[in-house]
């Protein structure tokens, strides 16, 4: 059985006795396309570069689509509505004081994993939810929530000076509300 999981991805469900033969057939067929093996860290790196959210790290049941930058997938006028619609509409009418932002370290050497402190203009404003080295971007990248009493708009994010703390050292970072 083959299941499509989105963004050019599939899961193959194969009886154990056929796994080796299917694997060999896939590797053989992939040669003409130049496809290579890729581990999960490579996939995670590409995911974070595209700012794709990971359930359990970047988003969970306590995060709203508004805070996590996923409101574009919400269909408020869905026939019959949906559970939480009224609460989400109420949240949309309030000032946004928490928001998921993408960061790129300006130094290519340090690495990000998760839970590193985010500093904005010298004030602690949040933590990295997930991080990895971004090979396409040439530096470590991460997704993390900014929490502030101010409204966290695109302009607010762009106006700040950011540092990510790694092993006690603050590394300057670029912040973006769109994928870098």
């Amino acid at each position: 059985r083959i299941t499509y999981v989105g963004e050019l991805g599939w899961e193959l469900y194969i009886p154990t006795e056929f796994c080796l033969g299917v694997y060999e057939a896939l590797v053989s067929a992939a040669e003409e396309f130049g496809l290579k093996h890729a581990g999960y860290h490579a996939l995670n790196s590409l995911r974070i570069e595209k700012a794709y959210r990971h359930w359990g790290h970047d988003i969970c049941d306590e995060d709203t689509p508004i805070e996590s930058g996923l409101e574009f997938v919400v269909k408020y006028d869905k026939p019959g509505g949906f559970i939480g619609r009224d609460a989400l509409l109420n949240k949309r009418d309030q000032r946004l004081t928490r928001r998921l932002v993408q960061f790129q370290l300006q130094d290519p050497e340090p690495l990000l994993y998760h839970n590193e402190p985010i500093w904005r203009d010298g004030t602690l404003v949040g933590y990295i939810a997930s991080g990895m080295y971004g090979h396409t971007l040439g530096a470590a990248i991460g997704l993390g929530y900014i929490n502030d009493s101010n409204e966290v708009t695109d302009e607010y994010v762009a106006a700040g000076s950011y540092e990510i703390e790694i092993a006690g050292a603050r590394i300057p970072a670029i912040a973006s509300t769109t994928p870098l």
Side-chain angles (χ1 to χ4, degrees):
R1 182 179 76 155
I2 298 176
T3 304
Y4 177 67
V5 294
E7 190 59 27
L8 301 178
W10 293 268
E11 291 179 356
L12 306 177
Y13 296 92
I14 305 161
T16 305
E17 62 271 18
F18 299 123
C19 286
L20 183 58
V22 170
Y23 168 78
E24 289 172 347
L26 287 171
V27 169
S28 177
E31 286 177 5
E32 75 173 278
F33 301 103
L35 299 179
K36 306 271 187 240
H37 287 92
Y40 193 73
H41 283 288
L43 298 176
N44 197 35
S45 171
L46 294 169
R47 170 192 75 79
I48 297 172
E49 283 188 347
K50 294 189 294 186
Y52 278 25
R53 282 73 166 154
H54 178 273
W55 179 260
H57 281 99
D58 308 316
I59 55 174
C60 70
D61 60 347
E62 296 178 9
D63 303 311
T64 71
I66 299 166
E67 295 167 334
S68 61
L70 296 174
E71 189 177 20
F72 69 94
V73 301
V74 176
K75 187 173 181 181
Y76 288 103
D77 61 349
K78 180 179 177 178
F82 56 87
I83 296 172
R85 179 183 177 276
D86 293 339
L88 196 55
L89 285 169
N90 183 44
K91 183 78 171 176
R92 187 172 67 170
D93 293 336
Q94 298 173 8
R95 291 179 338 117
L96 184 61
T97 59
R98 182 174 183 269
R99 186 167 185 188
L100 188 67
V101 175
Q102 187 180 44
F103 296 91
Q104 177 181 343
L105 298 183
Q106 292 183 339
D107 181 344
E109 293 299 316
L111 298 176
L112 292 174
Y113 297 100
H114 70 276
N115 213 32
E116 292 88 357
I118 301 167
W119 297 85
R120 182 186 188 273
D121 298 331
T123 302
L124 181 64
V125 293
Y127 294 88
I128 295 295
S130 61
M132 185 64 64
Y133 189 82
H135 294 276
T136 304
L137 297 172
I141 52 173
L143 296 169
Y145 284 93
I146 292 177
N147 299 286
D148 202 315
S149 58
N150 295 302
E151 187 170 12
V152 184
T153 62
D154 288 349
E155 295 77 21
Y156 172 87
V157 172
S161 176
Y162 295 91
E163 297 170 307
I164 309 298
E165 185 176 332
I166 302 170
R170 294 188 191 175
I171 312 300
I174 298 165
S176 179
T177 57
T178 59
L180 293 164

